[in-house]
Amino acid sequence: MIITRFAPSPTGNFHMGSLRTAIYNYLYAKKNKGKFLLRIEDTDKERSNKIYEDEILKIFDIFNLQYDNLIYQSKNLSIHQEFLEKLVSTDLAYQSEDGPYKFRVNKDSDYFKYEDLILGEVKIPSNTIEDFSIARSDKTPTFILSNLIDDDFENVTNVIRGNDHTINTVKQKMLSNALNFKEIHYAHIPLIHDIKGKKLSKRDNITNVEDYLNDGYLATSIFNFIIKLGNNFNDIEFLNIDEAVKSFNLSKTTLSPAKFDIEKLNFINQYYLKELSFSDFNKYLEKDVKNQVSSFKLEPIYKDILERCHKYTEINFEVVKLYDFFKKNLVLEIDKNEKDLIKKIHTIINNLHDNDNTLSILEKNGLPLKKIGKIIRKITVNFESKIPIEKIFIFFGIENIKERLLLYIND
Ligand code: GLU
């Protein structure tokens, strides 16, 4: 059975690159009807922080990445140390003069090689790899040792991770052979670059997943955007998590770095915003906005609001633009022509009800949209909202519109 895992170190915020790694491991496991594990690599007590652990779990929850098992690496410390003893006692490792324990690299052959599921054959000249640390002087294991032992212990068959780990993989392969571990298949995915082609760095770019979520991007949009960085998913434009499982093909991962194009994310986000159900839309409304808008009909026009939003954080603003002027009951200055027009509109709609097709009745009476649009938009939303006139009638309701027209007629 295929077993994959995501193994974050809780030493910093959860970033976009890690999210992609987590998802690829998840998709690969599900595609192969295997298991997906989450292992929090919390052995570095000084740098690990519970806040970051919680952030990982929260993001897994938001993105619906269900794991079969949750493991905390620090619980395995005694096992790591047993293996360290074993390596030292068989002279495969030794304590160096300056303290750390090092693995003795065997340089009998000119190259170290292994088959990577994405990169193909990885071949590194032996003279470029020196004996490497596997534990500190206090016998706490380094990443290279603990990560490998846990993978073996949990019967992990496949590891998908960023290609900044390629040299670590070569080292772990050496260790794995020395310890007679089962073979693990590694796949290294290209790093993510910014639009200018530079490595996406925590310092120069916003890379935290939470920042994007808070900034107004939906999880579905982020999911779609991030999975496409480096893999084309059969060119299917919008996928949910189950569709992504079906069309995921790890071997089609590109070798060149993927470009983080925020415009693409904006485009995807706009698409998914328009797909929101009314009840999901409501979840984004602030309490006060909900109260204010309750006397009008939002449901039939909420998609028009979403058409005007690039981020969910803009929803409230767009709704406010609709009702704010109306609620103030202000009477704007109008000229004689406008007043005549309002009178004519009022005469016609005075006998109409909400279910009547107001716009076509007005048109039949010589008042087509192009004649009345401007004045209706002026006295209802004061040009603040660009929502179609037809939707303005629906949102406020014909009775409210009649009253509003009357305000301008009675003098
Ligand atoms: N804890 C390591 C990291 O966060 C795990 C790398 C791996 O997937 O093996 O980089």
Side-chain angles (χ1 to χ4, degrees):
M1 191 202 319
I2 296 286
I3 302 182
T4 68
R5 50 57 170 186
F6 175 59
S9 310
T11 53
N13 291 108
F14 198 123
H15 60 89
M16 294 292 242
S18 302
L19 178 64
R20 185 185 57 163
T21 304
I23 297 173
Y24 278 17
N25 279 287
Y26 172 91
L27 297 178
Y28 193 75
K30 297 294 155 189
K31 172 119 199 178
N32 291 287
K33 312 234 173 322
K35 284 192 175 164
F36 171 62
L37 317 175
L38 172 59
R39 181 173 72 234
I40 311 273
E41 299 210 319
D42 57 348
T43 29
D44 186 343
K45 285 289 164 207
E46 298 213 329
R47 292 176 58 228
S48 297
N49 193 321
K50 175 89 171 59
I51 294 174
Y52 299 130
E53 253 174 62
D54 293 344
E55 190 176 317
I56 295 164
L57 297 178
K58 185 175 155 198
I59 287 178
F60 261 59
D61 198 39
I62 293 174
F63 286 86
N64 202 14
L65 296 171
Q66 291 169 16
Y67 41 80
D68 294 282
N69 206 354
L70 171 63
I71 302 122
Y72 288 88
Q73 184 168 64
S74 55
K75 300 233 165 71
N76 296 342
L77 187 63
S78 60
I79 303 169
H80 302 152
Q81 284 171 340
E82 271 171 39
F83 279 103
L84 174 64
E85 299 294 347
K86 189 173 161 187
L87 286 165
V88 173
S89 67
T90 51
D91 204 33
L92 290 164
Y94 60 94
Q95 184 169 25
S96 63
E97 276 173 24
D98 49 346
Y101 289 84
K102 289 193 171 170
F103 180 76
R104 211 182 286 287
V105 173
N106 177 341
K107 298 193 176 184
D108 287 350
S109 45
D110 292 343
Y111 290 97
F112 299 110
K113 2 180 221 195
Y114 82 92
E115 249 334 275
D116 192 282
L117 293 184
I118 292 171
L119 306 176
E121 186 182 72
V122 173
K123 201 170 163 194
I124 310 268
S126 308
N127 58 16
T128 59
I129 301 205
E130 300 300 324
D131 292 358
F132 54 87
S133 290
I134 52 172
R136 299 172 194 90
S137 54
D138 63 0
K139 297 197 174 169
T140 53
T142 61
F143 156 76
I144 298 232
L145 184 66
S146 51
N147 177 271
L148 174 74
I149 293 173
D150 288 357
D151 282 341
D152 186 70
F153 197 65
E154 290 146 16
N155 295 314
V156 167
T157 59
N158 292 72
V159 168
I160 303 169
R161 59 187 180 185
N163 74 14
D164 48 339
H165 279 293
T166 313
I167 298 294
N168 289 336
T169 298
V170 171
K171 293 175 180 173
Q172 288 182 316
K173 285 266 174 198
M174 293 176 187
L175 262 176
S176 168
N177 289 339
L179 290 166
N180 271 322
F181 281 173
K182 303 175 283 293
E183 191 184 0
I184 296 174
H185 302 284
Y186 289 86
H188 289 88
I189 49 181
L191 299 182
I192 301 174
H193 281 188
D194 66 16
I195 197 74
K196 292 192 198 114
K198 283 209 219 105
K199 194 182 155 205
L200 205 63
S201 76
K202 294 188 194 180
R203 204 160 44 95
D204 303 327
N205 318 81
I206 325 169
T207 56
N208 296 342
V209 179
E210 274 208 317
D211 288 345
Y212 284 91
L213 289 167
N214 294 336
D215 192 34
Y217 293 99
L218 302 170
T220 4
S221 315
I222 299 174
F223 175 86
N224 253 270
F225 170 68
I226 205 79
I227 62 170
K228 298 279 179 53
L229 295 183
N231 203 301
N232 72 2
F233 288 80
N234 295 333
D235 284 327
I236 301 174
E237 189 144 34
F238 301 104
L239 309 111
N240 64 27
I241 195 161
D242 295 328
E243 290 158 346
V245 169
K246 279 192 210 127
S247 47
F248 181 55
N249 187 344
L250 182 67
S251 63
K252 287 209 177 141
T253 307
T254 56
L255 293 175
S256 53
K259 280 210 177 109
F260 193 98
D261 180 0
I262 192 80
E263 289 309 324
K264 180 83 191 153
L265 176 58
N266 288 337
F267 170 77
I268 298 173
N269 203 44
Q270 212 173 8
Y271 171 84
Y272 279 109
L273 277 171
K274 280 191 260 168
E275 296 284 292
L276 283 184
S277 67
F278 185 57
S279 81
D280 283 337
F281 172 88
N282 258 293
K283 288 182 198 147
Y284 294 108
L285 288 188
E286 284 162 16
K287 220 169 145 207
D288 179 53
V289 175
K290 244 187 216 169
N291 284 338
Q292 296 279 354
V293 87
S294 62
S295 41
F296 306 125
K297 292 195 202 69
L298 193 53
E299 184 162 3
I301 60 113
Y302 85 96
K303 294 256 178 189
D304 296 271
I305 300 271
L306 290 173
E307 290 257 334
R308 283 155 183 82
C309 299
H310 298 87
K311 297 175 181 181
Y312 72 72
T313 38
E314 292 162 9
I315 290 177
N316 284 288
F317 183 58
E318 284 299 326
V319 176
V320 172
K321 283 202 292 195
L322 254 186
Y323 69 71
D324 198 40
F325 171 73
F326 202 94
K327 285 255 168 183
K328 287 184 187 143
N329 287 320
L330 293 176
V331 180
L332 298 171
E333 287 217 0
I334 51 166
D335 61 27
K336 176 154 180 342
N337 289 341
E338 287 174 318
K339 191 165 175 172
D340 288 345
L341 185 56
I342 291 175
K343 277 185 186 157
K344 283 185 197 155
I345 298 172
H346 185 261
T347 315
I348 295 163
I349 72 166
N350 203 21
N351 299 317
L352 300 186
H353 304 283
D354 272 328
N355 291 336
D356 292 322
N357 193 341
T358 312
L359 285 189
S360 79
I361 295 171
L362 282 167
E363 180 159 15
K364 278 183 202 135
N365 285 279
L367 295 173
L369 187 59
K370 62 176 192 309
K371 263 197 187 164
I372 60 146
K374 197 169 166 205
I375 192 71
I376 294 290
R377 193 179 296 285
K378 178 171 174 178
I379 66 171
T380 53
V381 297
N382 194 18
F383 302 112
E384 275 165 34
S385 171
K386 294 194 170 53
I387 196 159
I389 297 296
E390 166 205 351
K391 302 296 167 79
I392 287 184
F393 276 102
I394 295 173
F395 175 71
F396 291 110
I398 195 109
E399 295 309 321
N400 277 318
I401 304 270
K402 285 179 200 170
E403 273 179 39
R404 184 64 25 151
L405 294 169
L406 274 179
L407 279 183
Y408 287 85
I409 303 170
N410 298 337
D411 35 21

